Each structure stands twice: as C-alpha cells, then as structure tokens.
Amino acid sequence: MLSKKTKYGLKALIYLARRYDQGPILIADLAQEENIPKKFLEAILLALKNNGILQSKKGKGGGYYLARSPKLITFGQAIRIMEGPLAPVPCVSETSYAKCTECGSEETCGIRIVMKDVREAMAKILDGTTLADVLEEIDKAEETQKGVLNFCI
C-alpha cells in the first residue's frame, strides 16, 4: 500500500507535469490546489529534488518544476524515491536484496517465487508509466466523464 507521502508526491508530480512549460510553481499554490499539508509537501519536494526529479528556483518567480520532460519521469522512479524498493520482500529486491532469515532455500521458497512475479509485474507497470502517460489517461477519463454528464442532462 502506498503511504500518504508517496500519494502526495505523485499528486504533486502530476500537478507539476500538467504545468511543465509554465515555469516554477510555488509550494503554497501546489499545497492549496492539491490539498496537501504545506510542511509535509516541502519535505516531499526536497526529496524529489535531491534525487534529480525536480529542480527549484529561489526568489521572485521561484518555486519547483520538473527537472526533465514528463515523458522521461516514471511512476517507478518516484515511488522508489519515496518508498524505497518496489519488492514486497527483501529477497526479491533488485536494489536492496537481503536474504530472508526464516527461509531455508530461496530457490524453492513459494513465497519468494510468487513475490518475485509480483515485483516484476509492478516494476513493468510502474517503470513503463510516465507522468505524460498519466496526464493522457486523466484527460481520457475527464472526456469520458463529460460525455456521461452530458448524456444525463
């Protein structure tokens, strides 16, 4: 399950992706628009900045903005920054592998076999989904919703 920190981080990234060509966005504006506590958001954005996803500008006209195109930032990258490895158990992690102490044989461990498939499926989806892809899906969903609302009127 995603933590609030990660959900807020993803919401902020989607917001910034939608405004990619508009320059830096003030934390206060982003916090208010996305209903994210400002202090919490500051820490999240700093982590994303420290890991190369965001950049910031100080002073007048300052704020945060994406460090690269929304087409080049994946959900997987963002989630790993905020949550750590995608793997549900340490013995299948590609970035933070650790042997499970209670496991006799990794090769025959049923839990590991299933969790490896889970990790691979999650990585395929999250690493294959960019912020640009998400914006496109949001736009489609909004168009569908408009069509349904117009039909009901």
Side-chain angles (χ1 to χ4, degrees):
M1 199 172 317
L2 293 178
S3 66
K4 263 206 193 300
K5 174 185 174 183
T6 299
K7 287 168 82 174
Y8 287 159
L10 292 171
K11 283 179 69 169
L13 287 173
I14 293 166
Y15 183 91
L16 293 170
R18 177 75 68 198
R19 291 152 188 81
Y20 178 61
D21 293 326
Q22 297 177 16
I25 305 293
L26 293 172
I27 291 177
D29 293 344
L30 200 163
Q32 183 176 354
E33 285 286 322
E34 292 299 319
N35 197 27
I36 302 171
K38 188 176 174 224
K39 282 288 184 195
F40 199 19
L41 182 59
E42 287 172 356
I44 293 166
L45 297 180
L46 186 59
L48 291 167
K49 178 186 172 192
N50 289 340
N51 283 277
I53 300 291
L54 298 179
Q55 291 184 343
S56 65
K57 180 181 174 192
K58 293 183 180 184
K60 186 175 179 178
Y64 281 90
Y65 56 97
L66 296 181
R68 54 190 181 275
S69 166
K71 293 178 183 177
L72 301 174
I73 300 170
T74 69
F75 258 44
Q77 293 166 331
I79 290 171
R80 282 184 188 91
I81 289 167
M82 294 177 280
E83 293 281 338
L86 297 177
V89 291
C91 64
V92 298
S93 176
E94 290 187 0
T95 58
S96 298
Y97 170 84
K99 184 171 174 44
C100 295
T101 56
E102 64 278 355
C103 187
S105 169
E106 285 187 354
E107 292 75 29
T108 60
C109 176
I111 295 169
R112 182 178 192 278
I113 291 167
V114 173
M115 291 301 122
K116 187 169 191 238
D117 289 344
V118 169
R119 193 213 90 56
E120 288 173 2
M122 286 177 58
K124 182 178 179 184
I125 293 167
L126 296 173
D127 292 335
T129 303
T130 67
L131 293 176
D133 295 333
V134 175
L135 292 178
E136 192 175 306
E137 291 300 318
I138 291 169
D139 291 345
K140 285 181 194 174
E142 288 174 349
E143 283 302 312
T144 300
Q145 189 176 31
K146 282 182 193 174
V148 170
L149 291 175
N150 287 338
F151 180 74
C152 293
I153 295 175

